[in-house]
């Protein structure tokens, strides 16, 4: 698409401070390099990360209400690339729904990896449960069993602490997931039942998720 990016840039720079003009130039350089690389994800989240990596304005600055000029420049490059600033759906998101859409919105790689592992474990258990439900033949063993008196000195095996399973960074990442600040950054809200929903009221994480995670972390009592 024939779009004069230079003309758009000069229009956006008109009347702006020297600092803002320099930031626009820096963002334009990052967008040009990104466009020429052949990539076509011009979402604010992605471009914010790309710009920050190039020592330019980051995601928070771009999405700020007062900084529409940054978003207008991104939209111009997106139009030139014949796309929009909406994030294109990933293959994983199309296959697995909202859970993997959530993963795409998590910038922290450690938190994203932990969430991915939790989702995969849940999917595995769900698959096993569904397989058991499909078993049509149930065999009940009615043979008598010999009673054995319980041992009074039976040993009790304690589960290892979270410290023995996860690294400090992993524990810190899990603790971050439980904070209201982190959820609000993604536009999510948690209720007292441990359920997480987005701004449209769509369930992102089921009831009991956050409360269970906090119990594992030892932040709340059983």
């Amino acid at each position: 698409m024939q779009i004069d990016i230079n003309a758009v840039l000069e229009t956006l720079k008109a009347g702006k401070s020297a600092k803002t003009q320099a930031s626009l130039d820096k963002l334009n350089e990052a967008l040009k390099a990104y466009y020429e690389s052949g990539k076509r994800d011009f979402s604010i989240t992605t471009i914010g990360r790309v710009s920050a990596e190039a020592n330019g304005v980051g995601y928070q600055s771009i999405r700020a209400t007062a900084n529409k000029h940054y978003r207008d420049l991104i939209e111009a490059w997106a139009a030139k690339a014949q796309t929009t600033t909406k994030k294109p759906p990933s293959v994983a998101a199309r296959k697995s729904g909202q859970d993997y859409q959530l993963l795409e919105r998590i910038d922290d790689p450690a938190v994203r990896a932990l969430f991915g592992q939790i989702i995969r474990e849940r999917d595995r258990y769900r698959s096993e449960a569904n397989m058991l439900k499909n078993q049509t033949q149930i065999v009940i063993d009615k043979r008598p069993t010999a009673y054995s008196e319980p041992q009074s000195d039976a040993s009790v095996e304690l589960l290892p602490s979270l410290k023995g399973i996860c690294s400090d960074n992993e524990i810190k990442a899990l603790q971050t997931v439980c904070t209201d600040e982190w959820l609000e950054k993604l536009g999510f809200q948690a209720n007292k039942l441990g359920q997480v929903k987005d701004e449209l009221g769509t369930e992102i994480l089921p009831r009991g998720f956050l409360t269970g995670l906090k119990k594992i972390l030892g932040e709340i009592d059983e």
Side-chain angles (χ1 to χ4, degrees):
M1 185 175 183
Q2 296 299 324
I3 293 181
D4 190 343
I5 295 295
N6 290 330
V8 173
L9 178 61
E10 292 304 316
T11 300
L12 294 174
K13 289 168 62 177
K16 299 294 190 300
S17 66
K19 181 179 179 181
T20 300
Q21 290 184 20
S23 296
L24 281 166
D25 286 333
K26 190 73 174 178
L27 176 60
N28 188 62
E29 292 174 3
L31 285 164
K32 181 180 180 181
Y34 185 79
Y35 172 83
E36 292 176 348
S37 71
K39 297 177 181 178
R40 292 299 179 261
D41 179 2
F42 282 85
S43 63
I44 301 301
T45 301
T46 298
I47 298 303
R49 183 177 67 253
V50 171
S51 176
E53 290 173 353
N55 297 320
V57 291
Y59 169 75
Q60 295 296 340
S61 296
I62 293 174
R63 71 186 294 268
T65 304
N67 294 337
K68 186 175 182 296
H69 42 274
Y70 295 139
R71 297 191 296 276
D72 287 343
L73 182 59
I74 295 172
E75 288 176 359
W77 276 102
K80 183 178 179 66
Q82 298 183 351
T83 184
T84 67
T85 56
K86 292 183 179 180
K87 191 168 186 66
S90 65
V91 175
R94 288 196 297 268
K95 288 184 177 180
S96 303
Q98 294 178 344
D99 294 333
Y100 287 88
Q101 290 179 16
L102 168 63
L103 287 181
E104 291 296 323
R105 297 175 65 178
I106 299 176
D107 294 328
D108 190 313
V111 176
R112 185 167 60 247
L114 287 170
F115 261 88
Q117 183 176 356
I118 291 171
I119 291 173
R120 287 191 295 273
E121 286 293 311
R122 184 211 59 190
D123 290 344
R124 181 170 66 85
Y125 291 135
R126 179 180 291 172
S127 176
E128 292 175 355
N130 289 335
M131 182 179 64
L132 291 174
K133 289 179 182 179
N134 292 330
Q135 296 293 330
T136 57
Q137 183 177 5
I138 300 176
V139 178
I140 301 176
D141 188 353
K142 295 183 178 180
R143 293 175 296 178
T145 58
Y147 172 76
S148 59
E149 185 176 354
Q151 299 293 327
S152 59
D153 58 347
S155 61
V156 178
E157 182 179 358
L158 298 177
L159 291 174
S161 68
L162 200 60
K163 283 284 187 181
I165 300 176
C166 300
S167 67
D168 290 339
N169 286 337
E170 290 172 335
I171 293 175
K172 184 177 180 181
L174 287 172
Q175 290 172 336
T176 300
V177 173
C178 297
T179 62
D180 293 336
E181 292 80 8
W182 187 83
L183 292 172
E184 289 175 0
K185 180 180 177 182
L186 295 176
F188 299 152
Q189 289 184 340
N191 56 32
K192 295 181 179 179
L193 300 176
Q195 182 185 38
V196 177
K197 295 183 178 181
D198 62 15
E199 60 270 15
L200 300 178
T202 303
E203 182 184 81
I204 301 300
L205 294 172
R207 293 182 181 180
F209 181 89
L210 284 186
T211 51
L213 183 56
K214 288 180 180 179
K215 288 179 181 180
I216 293 175
L217 293 170
E219 293 184 3
I220 59 176
D221 295 328
E222 290 285 344

